[in-house]
Amino acid sequence: MTENREPHGEVAGLLLAAGGGRRLGGRPKALLTHRGRPLVEHAVGVLRAAGCGRIHVVLGAAADEVRARAELDGCVLVDNPEWAEGMGSSLRAGLASLAGTGARAALAALVDQPDIGPAAVARVLDAYRDERSLVSAAYDGVRGHPVLFGAAHWAAIAEAATGDRGARTYLRAHRARLRLVECGDVAEPYDIDTEADLSHLE
């Protein structure tokens, strides 16, 4: 982890950490162990080190256990009772939790991508301009995470976020406005989805 940067006042980190790990035998991804601690702790640390001062964490599967085991001091913990519906429900819950906070953009990251570190997140954060910003990390030119949504996009993204699609439908429809920031030289965007993927954890 790099040394923490000065917190950004207008962009909130939004960590989607509600998944139940269906293909991992029902082990919630937030509680997978990475470097001796729950994976959700690692992901929060990445957002913080990159410069996200305010961080909202969307919890779902085993939310009570995550609260008990993970050290998430200073984060706003958002419960998503509809987490089993897919990532779209968590994105909607997370964006709704940011309403009225003064945040002008949300930088959305996934809990199960441990090799996307502060360097990649900081690049996306640095591309923020105002509430109309729409920015995504790219890996060899292919869109990935994290993704930054200016507040002007939140309502439409929430409306389009269904199932496991998250913001994909909205981003595809607005690709002309989406700024891609290449991060392939500093991060690898693999997910921890299957038993074989657990080898990526340390």
Side-chain angles (χ1 to χ4, degrees):
M1 199 79 68
T2 59
E3 186 175 337
N4 286 14
R5 303 197 319 162
E6 192 68 27
H8 197 295
E10 297 184 355
V11 180
L14 179 57
L15 180 62
L16 305 184
R22 179 173 46 83
R23 286 184 283 171
L24 289 166
R27 280 179 286 174
K29 294 183 178 182
L31 288 171
L32 295 174
T33 300
H34 184 56
R35 299 176 183 171
R37 298 298 303 164
L39 190 53
V40 65
E41 263 186 49
H42 169 79
V44 165
V46 167
L47 291 174
R48 195 162 276 146
C52 292
R54 180 202 317 270
I55 300 173
H56 288 216
V57 181
V58 182
L59 302 178
D64 289 343
E65 189 177 353
V66 175
R67 289 173 184 269
R69 287 179 49 191
E71 295 179 9
L72 302 173
D73 296 345
C75 297
V76 175
L77 304 183
V78 181
D79 284 313
N80 174 21
E82 300 173 347
W83 64 268
E85 293 181 8
M87 188 194 306
S89 66
S90 290
L91 183 57
R92 293 195 305 270
L95 291 176
S97 75
L98 289 171
T101 64
R104 298 182 69 200
L107 192 151
L110 307 181
V111 74
D112 66 342
Q113 295 187 315
D115 200 53
I116 297 179
V121 177
R123 285 186 186 178
V124 175
L125 182 60
D126 288 344
Y128 164 77
R129 296 296 176 266
D130 56 34
E131 67 276 359
R132 296 165 298 176
S133 293
L134 199 59
V135 185
S136 174
Y139 301 89
D140 295 326
V142 179
R143 179 174 58 78
H145 286 89
V147 184
L148 184 147
F149 313 116
H153 302 281
W154 292 356
I157 287 173
E159 186 176 348
T162 58
D164 268 324
R165 286 197 295 269
R168 192 182 312 158
T169 301
Y170 185 85
L171 294 176
R172 189 177 294 130
H174 295 81
R175 62 168 62 92
R177 298 177 61 182
L178 178 65
R179 178 178 177 185
L180 295 180
V181 177
E182 182 57 47
C183 295
D185 59 319
V186 294
E188 291 186 49
Y190 55 75
D191 302 324
I192 306 298
D193 280 335
T194 66
E195 291 284 344
D197 296 331
L198 294 175
S199 64
H200 291 299
L201 298 176
E202 299 173 13

